[in-house]
Every structure is written in structure tokens, then in C-alpha cells.
Amino acid sequence: MSDDTMPPPRMPSVNFWSVAIVACLFVIYLYRNLLAWPAQRPGPPSSQQADGIPPKIWQIALGDSSLDDLANLVQTWPTKNKDFTYTLLSDHGADAFARKHYRTRPHILETFLDLQIPILRSDMLRYMLLETEGGIYGDLDTRVMKPFSEWIPPSMKEETRAIVGVEYDQGSVNFTFGGMHEPIQLCQWTMASVPGHPIMTRVVSAVAANLQTRAKNSQTTIAEMKIPLDDVLTTTGPVVWTRAVYEHLSDLTGTSISHLNFTGMTEPKLVGDTLVLPINGFGSGQPHSNSYRGEGDAPDGLVRHTFKGSWKEGWPKG
């Protein structure tokens, strides 16, 4: 056969499926290691684990609340907790929040929306915020002394799902300090929890029931209801809050939890999933309960309440 009639040289055969498989593997490699890497890269360590108290700060300014004299106190919350989201709710924001989160629980929603007295709304709203969103609540007249990352002793971080603080410890004293109704009363000017914590669910329901019962017994509506100042403490305030905490801890431990478990405590105590702080945790500077009143901040203080008491001004008489 002459050179001009010879067939062209044959190229090596290529398996189509081998090429396809290699191409797919290469695309997967690119996606996982280059394209998707930024979304999968771990972020900076948070102050709490994923299932712990979320990094959210809540404050409430209802009615004609003015922040002019409180700005220096308010700014301590985001300044001391820079990685936390911060939300300040007005009446409009409070109503929108309630409609969003409580539309399937009309007895809670309607009770809240009908309330007209700012402190009653503020009390109820703080529990609702933590029940649905979790995080930390602080009154406008509180000052943060230490960041949240230092609130929970390291050995208790993993188990802590709620944080409460002692407001008043009667101890062995034979008289009750004015405005206190429980031998150990827990404050609700500062509190923290995971979303859906049973304490918050319990206290939201208890407050709604208290308000509905009071309106019924007074033969009026919640919207038109008036209430003596001191009754706020037992209807929506620290008394109903303290009792809700005791009831939860009793259910959780299968024992009867009361003031006897906390009287005289000087160190944080973890009961079940709830961290109970001694008087100086949230209550330093008070004229009772061995509260720290020295120069400067209490060494073991976390938040200090300045007791501006603006909610009592112009109080409607019941």
C-alpha cells in the first residue's frame, strides 16, 4: 500500500463516563473548599453555647418614658456586651411583638393589648420577650457592671438555662422591709433565660390569669382596670415572678423549693437549670439583706439597679 493511501493514525479512545465522573468530583471539590467555605467557616466564639441563653438584650420604654436621664445607664448594656443584639421596645413595637408571637394564644394576646397602665404592660412584656426570644432583660434604670460572659461561673455554664437574682433576703430579721412580700424575693429588673423556658411560660400565664381575675372581681375590663400601687407587686411584679421560679424549681427537683433554700446565700447556686444569684449579683446598694454599700461597685456585682422609680409617678389610685 502506498503512503498516500494509508489511514490516519488512530487517537487513543477516551471513556466518556470516566471524564464525567472526574469533572463532577472536581466541581464538588471547588464548591466545598472554595465557594462554600465562607458560609461554613466557624465564626468567633460566642459567650454562650448554641443551646444556651442567646446573645440578645431587651429593654422597654412604654408610655411617656424619657431616656434623657437614663442614657448613661442604658448605654452600659451594649457597651459591656458588644457581641449582643440590642432592642428597645416602645408601645408600638410591643404591640407588634405580641401580635406576632401570641396570635395562637389569644387569652395572652388580648390581655396584653387591653392593658393601659404602662408598668403592668412592662411587667408582662418582659416575661413574654424572654419566653419567645430568650436573652437578657434589664430595666432602663439598671447599670451593667460586668459583661454577661462573667455572669455564670464556668462550672455552671453548661447547665444554666435561666438566671435570677435575689432582691431581698429577710433572713432572721423579725420585720419585713417596705414593699417586700416574700422572705426571699427575687428581682425582675434583670433576668435571663433561653427561649421557651418553663419559668417564663409559667409567669406569663400567671400574670394573664391575675389580670383577668382582678378585672372580673372588680366588675370592670382590663382596659379600664385601676390597681393600687402595692398590688402591682403581687399581680404582675416580683411576687408573682418569685412564686413562678419556686414552682418551676420544685417541679424540676421533685422537692419543695422555697426561701429556705436561698436565705443567707453568698455564692451563686445552680438549682436544676436555673442559676440563682446572691443579693449582690443584681441587688447591691440596697439598705437591707447585707447588700454591699461600700465605695465603688460590689466586687461580686453584675448589674446595679438605681431605683429611679419613674413608674410610680402619677400613679392611678385603685
Side-chain angles (χ1 to χ4, degrees):
M1 181 179 293
S2 65
D3 290 342
D4 2 340
T5 61
M6 289 183 64
R10 298 182 61 188
M11 299 296 292
S13 62
V14 178
N15 187 310
F16 171 80
W17 292 110
S18 298
V19 173
I21 291 171
V22 170
C24 287
L25 291 173
F26 183 66
V27 170
I28 293 171
Y29 170 82
L30 286 176
Y31 177 78
R32 294 187 63 181
N33 293 277
L34 297 177
L35 300 177
W37 175 75
Q40 295 177 351
R41 180 176 55 185
S46 64
S47 59
Q48 281 291 297
Q49 298 180 357
D51 58 348
I53 295 170
K56 301 177 182 180
I57 296 167
W58 302 95
Q59 293 196 292
I60 299 170
L62 304 182
D64 297 325
S65 299
S66 172
L67 300 182
D68 293 346
D69 297 331
L70 301 172
N72 289 339
L73 300 172
V74 169
Q75 64 86 24
T76 63
W77 283 96
T79 299
K80 290 287 189 180
N81 300 284
K82 291 187 173 66
D83 294 328
F84 284 52
T85 60
Y86 175 87
T87 305
L88 176 64
L89 285 173
S90 67
D91 282 294
H92 176 76
D95 288 349
F97 171 89
R99 289 189 176 98
K100 175 182 176 181
H101 291 283
Y102 287 88
R103 61 182 181 273
T104 60
R105 296 165 67 186
H107 66 293
I108 303 294
L109 177 59
E110 292 168 9
T111 298
F112 179 75
L113 294 179
D114 285 347
L115 277 174
Q116 300 300 309
I117 301 175
I119 185 56
L120 301 183
R121 283 169 57 83
S122 176
D123 278 345
M124 189 172 183
L125 180 60
R126 69 191 66 188
Y127 310 132
M128 294 164 63
L129 288 168
L130 296 192
E131 183 193 19
T132 56
E133 293 279 351
I136 313 167
Y137 168 79
D139 273 1
L140 293 173
D141 59 351
T142 55
R143 175 171 61 86
V144 181
M145 295 185 282
K146 293 180 183 176
F148 183 72
S149 58
E150 298 180 25
W151 288 18
I152 308 174
S155 63
M156 302 176 182
K157 280 185 182 289
E158 191 171 328
E159 293 84 9
T160 298
R161 297 292 176 270
I163 304 175
V164 303
V166 171
E167 173 183 7
Y168 171 72
D169 183 355
Q170 180 175 315
S172 58
V173 179
N174 293 325
F175 68 92
T176 301
F177 196 82
M180 304 300 170
H181 295 257
E182 296 285 332
I184 285 275
Q185 189 161 292
L186 303 175
C187 74
Q188 34 96 269
W189 58 69
T190 302
M191 59 185 73
S193 81
V194 297
H197 195 279
I199 291 177
M200 300 304 166
T201 301
R202 188 185 295 268
V203 74
V204 167
S205 296
V207 165
N210 286 350
L211 292 167
Q212 291 161 5
T213 299
R214 185 174 191 90
K216 181 179 179 180
N217 291 344
S218 301
Q219 297 183 333
T220 187
T221 64
I222 288 176
E224 297 175 345
M225 180 176 62
K226 292 183 174 20
I227 179 172
L229 187 149
D230 198 50
D231 285 2
V232 174
L233 306 177
T234 56
T235 304
T236 62
V239 174
V240 66
W241 164 243
T242 299
R243 291 172 183 171
V245 173
Y246 287 166
E247 289 167 7
H248 167 69
L249 297 182
S250 296
D251 289 348
L252 194 65
T253 62
T255 62
S256 178
I257 298 294
S258 71
H259 67 280
L260 298 175
N261 297 85
F262 307 111
T263 294
M265 63 183 290
T266 58
E267 298 290 333
K269 179 181 290 189
L270 185 67
V271 182
D273 64 355
T274 302
L275 182 66
V276 182
L277 301 175
I279 186 67
N280 285 337
F282 294 156
S284 63
Q286 299 185 88
H288 55 70
S289 310
N290 291 320
S291 175
Y292 177 85
R293 302 189 70 193
E295 294 185 8
D297 291 334
D300 53 346
L302 305 175
V303 172
R304 182 160 179 168
H305 190 210
T306 62
F307 294 97
K308 297 293 184 182
S310 60
W311 63 276
K312 298 178 184 179
E313 296 174 5
W315 187 257
K317 303 301 181 182

